[in-house]
């Protein structure tokens, strides 16, 4: 009996034609010329990436993301305080609430799309922080807590 693979109704296995073999070989040559040779000696499984908290490169990336997020938030706060001419405390409350709600929303969304829940929690949290800095915090500063404004801004038409 055959181990795995394709079997026909009569129990025999189909033989690849010479054209199929040549086509596979040509695709392999083209892929190798574009992407280079595949190094199969390296372990590319995700398990080795989660064995330690973070590699030095990841720590640098996390630090850069958090610092740039803080800088973007300060610039956002200063520009909106000048543009809207509202009390700074009101804008600060809006920005902090938008950042917190955005972090939770982006983290849940990332987990729903397959981000590891426990193994790489810190990586998903840094991603959520950076994304909420770019999306939720500016919207929260501009729109406040009015649900109608959020619906109108995030939908294609006006809120009902």
């Amino acid at each position: 009996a055959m181990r795995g693979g394709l079997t026909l109704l009569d129990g025999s296995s189909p033989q690849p034609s010479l054209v199929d073999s040549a086509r596979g070989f040509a695709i392999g040559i083209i892929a190798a010329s574009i992407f280079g040779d595949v190094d199969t000696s390296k372990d590319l499984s995700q398990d080795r990436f989660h064995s330690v908290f973070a590699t030095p490169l990841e720590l640098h990336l996390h630090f850069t993301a958090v610092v740039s997020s803080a800088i973007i938030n300060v610039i956002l706060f200063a520009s909106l305080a000048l543009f809207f001419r509202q009390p700074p405390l009101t804008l600060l409350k809006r920005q902090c609430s938008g950042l917190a709600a955005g972090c939770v929303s982006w983290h849940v969304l990332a987990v729903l799309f397959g981000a590891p829940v426990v193994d790489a929690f810190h990586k998903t949290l840094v991603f959520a922080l950076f994304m909420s800095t770019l999306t939720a915090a500016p919207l929260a500063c501009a729109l406040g807590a009015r649900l109608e404004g959020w619906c109108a801004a995030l939908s294609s038409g006006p809120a009902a």
Side-chain angles (χ1 to χ4, degrees):
M2 194 175 155
R3 289 185 186 167
L6 189 66
T7 56
L8 298 176
L9 291 177
D10 62 358
S12 65
S13 62
Q15 298 298 320
S17 69
L18 186 60
V19 173
D20 290 336
S21 298
R23 185 179 302 136
F25 182 72
I27 291 173
I29 296 275
I30 293 170
S33 67
I34 294 172
F35 302 113
D37 293 331
V38 177
D39 184 11
T40 57
S41 66
K42 293 184 180 177
D43 179 24
L44 298 177
S45 67
Q46 289 295 315
D47 296 334
R48 77 179 175 97
F49 293 113
H50 300 302
S51 62
V52 294
F53 180 73
T55 63
L57 176 63
E58 288 173 338
L59 288 177
H60 288 294
L61 289 174
H62 291 172
F63 178 75
T64 304
V66 169
V67 168
S68 62
S69 175
I71 291 170
I72 290 170
N73 276 313
V74 167
I75 292 170
L76 173 71
F77 177 75
S79 62
L80 288 176
L82 292 174
F83 182 73
F84 284 120
R85 300 203 192 286
Q86 291 184 354
L89 190 58
T90 304
L91 279 176
L92 187 63
K93 282 195 269 186
R94 283 182 180 181
Q95 187 172 10
C96 289
S97 63
L99 199 61
C103 264
V104 170
S105 302
W106 276 107
H107 192 85
V108 167
L109 191 66
V111 167
L112 288 176
F113 275 102
V117 179
V118 177
D119 294 338
F121 178 79
H122 59 286
K123 297 173 188 176
T124 310
L125 189 62
V126 169
F127 166 76
L129 171 71
F130 195 69
M131 291 304 293
S132 67
T133 297
L134 298 177
T135 58
L139 277 175
C141 286
L143 302 175
R146 293 179 307 121
L147 186 60
E148 303 86 29
W150 280 86
C151 290
L154 298 176
S155 68
S156 59

